[in-house]
Amino acid sequence: MRRLLNDVEKVLISEQDIQARIVELGREITAAYTDQDRLLLICVLKGAFMFLADLVRQIEVRHAVDFIEISSYGSGTVSSGVVRILLDLEQDITGRHVLIVEDIVDTGRTLDYITRNLQTRGPASLRVCTLLNKPSRREIDVPLDFVGFEVPDEFVAGYGLDFAEAYRNLPFIGVLKPELYKPQGQDEPDSCR
Ligand code: IMP
């Protein structure tokens, strides 16, 4: 872990703050659903896997989990703009109360695609829980029902979120040193991620 920590410029949200907020989110979600709701949590892979694992332990109503994997980013911090399903759900969501669990909503393109896609499958309700929200970069307005934290316009990593598939195992949300993702000779950070 020490080698990974050397790549971190600053910690934005500490492990303690993440865990404390997840306890609150668990209470909010528990209050919003009842045991009769046939609740299904859909984890958006890969970034939300750690959040889902901690969140479900704070939710006190009966529920099932399923997974969907979407590609929206390449290996860097620049969005490809192309969204497609890499892994689809195992379960039929018709008539289910569905809660999408996301790691971060940035431009909103990924979530917009997922919600429109899932809506066509006839869920009884469809809501969204995201750990992080980056509202400054929103291109598509997507309603968010449960939000952990708002983050500034910086590329963040840790607690499930990656940069080039690494750093997911950091227990906090941090900003990496700029030289890691800046091409050689480029002084300004990417304006489009
Ligand atoms: P959007 O489609 O622009 O809203 O981006 C959503 C997806 O992009 C998220 O689910 C993440 O996988 C990824 N993403 C966006 N911003 C960041 C970031 O700051 N760090 C890591 N991944 C990010």
Side-chain angles (χ1 to χ4, degrees):
M1 190 64 84
R2 188 139 42 98
R3 260 191 285 164
L4 289 180
L5 290 175
N6 281 337
D7 291 343
V8 176
E9 171 105 329
K10 63 181 173 198
V11 174
L12 265 190
I13 308 168
S14 70
E15 184 176 3
Q16 291 76 8
D17 286 351
I18 293 172
Q19 295 304 330
R21 184 72 188 111
I22 289 176
V23 170
E24 293 173 356
L25 286 172
R27 283 200 199 112
E28 288 175 35
I29 293 167
T30 299
Y33 294 94
T34 67
D35 278 333
Q36 281 78 45
D37 271 351
R38 300 190 69 216
L39 176 61
L40 175 66
L41 266 56
I42 296 183
C43 173
V44 184
L45 295 173
K46 300 173 191 161
F49 78 95
M50 206 175 276
F51 179 39
L52 178 91
D54 286 337
L55 184 65
V56 292
R57 282 176 279 187
Q58 303 300 332
I59 295 177
E60 294 180 12
V61 290
R62 184 190 167 103
H63 63 272
V65 297
D66 206 342
F67 299 87
I68 192 166
E69 187 171 2
I70 306 289
S71 85
S72 56
Y73 278 67
S75 58
T77 61
V78 180
S79 170
S80 66
V82 178
V83 181
R84 66 193 171 97
I85 294 180
L86 297 178
L87 173 82
D88 208 345
L89 301 175
E90 199 177 85
Q91 303 185 39
D92 180 4
I93 65 168
T94 312
R96 307 287 297 272
H97 290 278
V98 171
L99 180 62
I100 298 170
V101 179
E102 253 289 24
D103 56 351
I104 184 166
V105 182
D106 187 14
T107 64
R109 283 189 212 154
T110 307
L111 190 58
D112 178 63
Y113 175 84
I114 296 172
T115 50
R116 280 189 295 111
N117 182 293
L118 296 185
Q119 207 60 264
T120 65
R121 308 186 196 191
S125 68
L126 188 58
R127 290 200 252 193
V128 177
C129 174
T130 185
L131 177 66
L132 305 176
N133 182 24
K134 217 192 264 184
S136 54
R137 289 182 27 89
R138 197 70 90 253
E139 290 172 14
I140 302 180
D141 189 30
V142 276
L144 306 175
D145 301 281
F146 306 96
V147 177
F149 303 91
E150 287 204 352
V151 289
D153 182 10
E154 292 189 272
F155 193 84
V156 297
Y159 194 71
L161 287 90
D162 74 308
F163 169 63
E165 291 298 328
Y167 305 102
R168 294 189 197 274
N169 56 329
L170 294 173
F172 52 81
I173 301 285
V175 176
L176 301 177
K177 292 184 176 160
E179 58 265 30
L180 284 167
Y181 44 76
K182 250 195 271 178
Q184 290 294 321
Q186 186 181 325
D187 293 329
E188 294 299 319
D190 292 324
S191 59
C192 169
R193 298 192 272 273

